[in-house]
Amino acid sequence: MNKLLTATALSAMLASGAAFAQDKTAVTFLHKYPEPESMEFFQAAVAAYEESHPDIDIQMEAVADEPYKDKIRVLMASDQVPDIFFSWSGEFGRKFARDGRTYDLTDALKGSEWEGRFSEAALDPLRFEGKQFGVPNNVNAKYMVYNKEIFEENGLKEPETFAEFVDLLDTLNENGVTPIAYGNQAPWAATHYIGDLFAKYVPSDVRTADYQLLSDPENLYTHPGYVTALEQYQKLGEYFNRGVNALPHAAARGSFFAGRTAMMYVELVEFYMVPGSALEEAGWGFFALPPVEGAEGDQNLLTGAPEGFLISADTDVADEALDFLNFITSPEQAKEYVKTTGMTSAVIGSVTDETASEEVVAGLERLEEADGMALWLDTDMDTQSANIILAAGQALLSGNAEPEKVMADVREAALQVQETR
């Protein structure tokens, strides 16, 4: 009898628990930060939010960069869009907004709780036709980081022009030092160089109109600066380590941090990895890719971009999703995010001497001094055109592609996409 009562009580408890779980409102959340440091923050933030909101169940999934691009496109095509999902700024996110797949956040972000939280530079790349489609999470930029010990041994200093930069590279080559560590196995790595050079050689208004396919068809991607930029990228090939197209970015970074090369083009969000390395012992500094004298582009743009979170236009839990985003981008959580992950939060006041290294703070300050940002090329151009650049990033260095043919292919792809809009 007692056993029967116990079993009955247990069944009742399980039934009650199941009913309790069913009573919760589920909010699905997909992002691209599966690294241990990032997951430590997000798991803690989700737990804290659920504790203060016991009726909410945040169902989180994290996927790495390259797989994420495919996954979110598949989910969009199959109408299985998460309530909250990550997006790069630029065309990657604009396409979702243009197709009506994002919840309009314009009025919400004007509320008192959000006021003054983000800079205009962080908000604008997540806006389409005047409507805010994303909440900024990170800001990031790319710098040439250098080994001070190697620079001193070779009598070098930070270059002020691109011509001085090339002279510096020649000196290192002549002295038997590999100038730049570069891992180009994943195609996105090349787009960071090429995107920066496009911004230097092509006027900003022309480049922006081309990327957004707003140029007249006869002018689309015809500015000669594109070809010149690709030629310059090819020339840089003689300064990279050997085997660049087979080497992952992380492996190249490991070699640079070990002191085997003089420089590497590194993201601001990678600065936190330097402590404890041989590079830290040698001393390190950084500079933006120097201006190209006489080129027609904006020489004071930094390559990089804000990243953010979007809410699905089809969600049934928009208020809950927005409240969760408000929580994880609150000033308190943003400071915790910076301390835990080493990333540079888009929330104003979160990156300070107390939460980040002096180099990260200095990198963010230089970003604020720039004229603006040349967004990551592979997420700022339309997908078809970007895919040609992604493939060319390796082929140009291996001698299997020519700059003029690459840009002719880009133009042809862009014209085809333009006709469909």
Side-chain angles (χ1 to χ4, degrees):
M1 185 63 179
N2 285 340
K3 289 183 178 179
L4 178 61
L5 285 174
T6 301
T8 303
L10 180 59
S11 298
M13 289 174 61
L14 291 173
S16 174
F20 180 72
Q22 290 173 358
D23 287 342
K24 289 191 175 186
T25 298
V27 178
T28 51
F29 175 34
L30 175 65
H31 63 75
K32 63 107 196 173
Y33 305 108
E35 303 81 10
E37 303 88 357
S38 295
M39 288 306 293
E40 179 183 345
F41 166 77
F42 282 109
Q43 287 171 343
V46 167
Y49 184 80
E50 289 179 337
E51 184 176 0
S52 60
H53 298 75
D55 58 332
I56 301 293
D57 178 21
I58 304 294
Q59 299 177 357
M60 180 172 66
E61 181 182 4
V63 182
D65 273 40
E66 286 301 314
Y68 182 85
K69 295 172 184 174
D70 294 331
K71 185 177 182 70
I72 191 63
R73 287 170 180 143
V74 169
L75 292 174
M76 286 283 174
S78 58
D79 287 330
Q80 296 179 314
V81 186
D83 299 309
I84 303 171
F85 58 100
F86 165 86
S87 178
W88 288 273
S89 52
E91 175 60 17
F92 195 93
R94 278 198 305 269
K95 184 178 189 308
F96 298 142
R98 187 168 53 243
D99 293 345
R101 308 304 298 269
T102 59
Y103 187 83
D104 185 1
L105 300 166
T106 309
D107 291 337
L109 266 60
K110 291 179 181 176
S112 58
E113 285 185 294
W114 297 83
E115 189 175 3
R117 187 174 297 185
F118 308 109
S119 68
E120 178 63 18
L123 288 167
D124 186 61
L126 293 166
R127 193 178 285 148
F128 176 69
E129 294 185 340
K131 295 182 179 179
Q132 196 70 42
F133 64 79
V135 174
N137 181 49
N138 284 332
V139 288
N140 196 2
K142 198 96 174 184
Y143 293 103
M144 188 63 74
V145 174
Y146 65 93
N147 183 313
K148 284 187 175 179
E149 189 172 272
I150 293 178
F151 265 43
E152 288 170 4
E153 290 172 351
N154 290 275
L156 303 174
K157 63 178 183 179
E158 292 184 13
E160 296 184 359
T161 67
F162 206 88
E164 290 183 7
F165 180 53
V166 173
D167 288 343
L168 178 156
L169 296 172
D170 285 334
T171 298
L172 288 166
N173 258 352
E174 290 166 4
N175 293 343
V177 178
T178 301
I180 302 175
Y182 185 30
N184 194 33
Q185 185 187 65
W188 59 262
T191 65
H192 291 185
Y193 277 105
I194 295 172
D196 198 290
L197 292 168
F198 278 178
K200 285 177 165 45
Y201 282 98
V202 181
S204 291
D205 58 338
V206 174
R207 183 176 53 82
T208 301
D210 288 345
Y211 286 5
Q212 298 188 23
L213 304 180
L214 299 175
S215 299
D216 293 335
E218 62 268 26
N219 295 325
L220 189 64
Y221 285 110
T222 58
H223 193 282
Y226 291 115
V227 172
T228 307
L230 293 183
E231 291 171 344
Q232 185 61 68
Y233 171 70
Q234 271 189 313
K235 292 177 184 174
L236 288 177
E238 62 185 280
Y239 306 111
F240 297 142
N241 49 260
R242 287 182 292 181
V244 292
N245 288 342
L247 193 68
H249 174 78
R253 185 180 59 215
S255 177
F256 172 56
F257 282 11
R260 300 190 189 101
T261 57
M263 291 175 284
M264 184 169 178
Y265 203 31
V266 170
E267 293 179 32
L268 180 58
V269 296
E270 296 175 284
F271 280 18
Y272 79 95
M273 301 177 186
V274 174
S277 69
L279 178 63
E280 183 185 34
E281 291 183 16
W284 60 290
F286 62 93
F287 55 87
L289 278 185
V292 180
E293 294 176 301
E296 295 183 49
D298 188 332
Q299 306 303 312
N300 195 31
L301 293 179
L302 271 176
T303 288
E307 300 171 341
F309 296 124
L310 284 55
I311 296 177
S312 169
D314 297 326
T315 183
D316 294 324
V317 291
D319 290 343
E320 291 83 355
L322 190 60
D323 190 62
F324 177 65
L325 288 184
N326 186 18
F327 174 76
I328 62 170
T329 61
S330 64
E332 297 77 17
Q333 286 294 318
K335 288 180 180 177
E336 193 62 34
Y337 178 69
V338 175
K339 283 195 291 186
T340 305
T341 68
M343 307 284 270
T344 42
S345 168
V347 175
I348 293 173
S350 62
V351 182
T352 68
D353 293 339
E354 295 178 353
T355 60
S357 69
E358 62 178 289
E359 291 85 2
V360 171
V361 173
L364 200 59
E365 288 173 351
R366 292 194 195 180
L367 173 58
E368 292 170 355
E369 293 167 359
D371 287 347
M373 306 192 81
L375 303 182
W376 307 127
L377 185 67
D378 55 332
T379 58
D380 202 19
M381 300 172 77
D382 70 274
T383 303
Q384 286 87 335
S385 304
N387 284 341
I388 293 170
I389 297 293
L390 286 165
Q394 289 191 345
L396 286 164
L397 295 182
S398 62
N400 294 318
E402 293 299 327
E404 288 189 354
K405 177 65 165 60
V406 171
M407 288 316 302
D409 292 344
V410 168
R411 173 172 161 75
E412 182 178 349
L415 285 169
Q416 291 176 0
V417 178
Q418 191 182 49
E419 286 183 358
T420 66
R421 292 192 181 172

